[in-house]
Amino acid sequence: QVPLVASGGGLVQAGGSQRLACATSGRTFSRFTVGWFRQAPGKDREFVAAISGNGGTTRYTDSVKGRFTISMDNAKVTVYLQMNSLKPEDTAIYLCAADYIQRDASVWDRQRLYDYWGQGTQVTVSS
């Protein structure tokens, strides 16, 4: 098992910023791809962003490009999602997930490839 704890959610006004964190313990993310997904009420879960285990490769869904930044700390135990210029449509439960198999970034949006999931954190953007 790979424990994943997501934190940092809350209520923010449109145009504001928020930083989410996904932390693991007992191991590092160095051998994992770590992704952020989100699920809004009444909608399917969707891919947001992902980062490789060495932190050198990232991928974003089009709707967050230029606004969100995914990063990893030097200890490789926490992955951050910095969210700027937030919009009401960003409101969702944000979940982090980890995939132990090294894959091409082109498939990082496929939820079924992720083996481990955290509990999610709610982000609410008010207009």
Side-chain angles (χ1 to χ4, degrees):
Q1 284 293 327
V2 177
L4 300 174
V5 179
S7 61
L11 176 64
V12 62
Q13 287 189 330
S17 298
Q18 205 156 38
R19 188 175 79 160
L20 305 182
C22 176
T24 192
S25 59
R27 68 190 68 225
T28 71
F29 284 132
S30 60
R31 294 181 179 271
F32 293 83
T33 297
V34 180
W36 282 99
F37 293 79
R38 65 186 180 186
Q39 186 162 20
K43 295 187 177 181
D44 293 334
R45 186 184 301 174
E46 65 172 352
F47 171 77
V48 177
I51 189 168
S52 61
N54 63 8
T57 304
T58 59
R59 181 186 167 189
Y60 300 90
T61 192
D62 287 346
S63 63
V64 307
K65 284 180 181 177
R67 300 190 299 124
F68 290 12
T69 302
I70 190 170
S71 63
M72 186 181 293
D73 69 337
N74 289 336
K76 300 192 186 304
V77 294
T78 304
V79 170
Y80 300 100
L81 185 68
Q82 177 66 43
M83 306 184 294
N84 299 328
S85 302
L86 283 162
K87 305 175 181 179
E89 51 263 44
D90 294 318
T91 295
I93 296 174
Y94 284 71
L95 306 100
C96 61
D99 176 12
Y100 188 67
I101 297 177
Q102 302 299 312
R103 308 178 198 273
D104 188 85
S106 63
V107 301
W108 286 356
D109 59 330
R110 301 180 186 179
Q111 300 176 39
R112 60 181 175 84
L113 299 179
Y114 289 80
D115 308 293
Y116 308 101
W117 290 82
Q119 85 288 1
T121 184
Q122 176 71 47
V123 173
T124 302
V125 184
S126 63
S127 57

